[in-house]
């Protein structure tokens, strides 16, 4: 987090969608409004196989992430960052959704990926989607209800 002082939270998953798009030419490109936290070319891919178990690998991962909010780990999963824990979790959920949607889209032809301008349009609307953290926590409460 030294490379990105604004980052206070990191989520790491072994999402099947991140693992899939980490080994597909072209990677995972934005295809839905939830991708507003990603660059137009999609999240970068950390190219080294294996776990991030050393200081050197951690620095290499931070270098691959650069100023993106997510990085795909080759044949492994992803790492997603945020300025809050809620933001990092929300982005992680959205990244998995984007991967699933992109996978379905390619089955129907070549997707029309989002442009930088389209991503900027969604990014400029701070209220959209409205209260996402409350939505996700309400879903958890519903599942726990007897």
């Amino acid at each position: 987090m030294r490379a990105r002082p604004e980052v206070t939270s990191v989520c790491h998953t072994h999402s099947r969608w991140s693992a899939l798009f980490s080994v597909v030419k072209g990677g995972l490109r934005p295809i839905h409004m939830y991708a507003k936290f990603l660059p137009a070319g999609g999240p970068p891919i950390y190219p080294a196989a294996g776990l991030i178990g050393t200081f050197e690998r951690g620095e290499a991962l931070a270098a691959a992430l650069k100023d993106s909010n997510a990085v795909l780990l080759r044949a492994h999963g992803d790492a997603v960052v945020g300025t809050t824990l809620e933001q990092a979790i929300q982005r992680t959920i959205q990244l998995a959704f984007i991967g699933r949607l992109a996978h379905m889209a390619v089955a129907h032809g070549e997707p029309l990926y989002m442009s930088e301008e389209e991503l900027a349009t969604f990014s400029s609307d701070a209220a959209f989607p409205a209260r996402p953290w409350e939505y996700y926590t309400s879903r958890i409460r519903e599942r726990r209800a007897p």
Side-chain angles (χ1 to χ4, degrees):
M1 294 205 229
R2 186 177 38 185
R4 298 272 303 275
E6 80 282 9
V7 170
T8 63
S9 299
V10 178
C11 291
H12 166 60
T13 75
H14 296 136
S15 162
R16 70 185 78 184
W17 309 113
S18 293
L20 170 67
F21 284 99
S22 75
V23 297
V24 171
K25 287 185 180 183
L28 177 61
R29 301 215 8 235
I31 194 166
H32 186 273
M33 61 189 166
Y34 282 0
K36 70 181 191 175
F37 69 94
L38 296 174
I45 299 173
Y46 174 76
L51 301 177
I52 313 298
T54 66
F55 182 76
E56 293 76 23
R57 281 184 168 260
E59 287 197 336
L61 177 60
L65 178 67
K66 296 179 194 160
D67 60 350
S68 181
N69 293 309
V71 61
L72 303 183
L73 309 173
R74 179 166 167 70
H76 182 155
D78 57 61
V80 181
V81 302
T83 58
T84 65
L85 178 59
E86 293 86 353
Q87 184 182 58
I89 291 170
Q90 179 182 331
R91 287 174 172 173
T92 301
I93 293 167
Q94 291 171 334
L95 183 67
F97 176 85
I98 295 160
R100 183 176 181 198
L101 190 63
H103 179 261
M104 290 188 295
V106 297
H108 296 280
E110 187 175 347
L112 299 174
Y113 296 106
M114 296 183 70
S115 67
E116 285 187 41
E117 294 78 21
E118 290 170 320
L119 290 170
T121 298
F122 286 114
S123 293
S124 67
D125 186 357
F128 186 80
R131 301 176 14 187
W133 183 249
E134 290 84 356
Y135 167 74
Y136 290 123
T137 56
S138 73
R139 300 246 349 242
I140 292 170
R141 281 192 298 275
E142 288 170 9
R143 287 184 180 181
R144 290 186 178 170

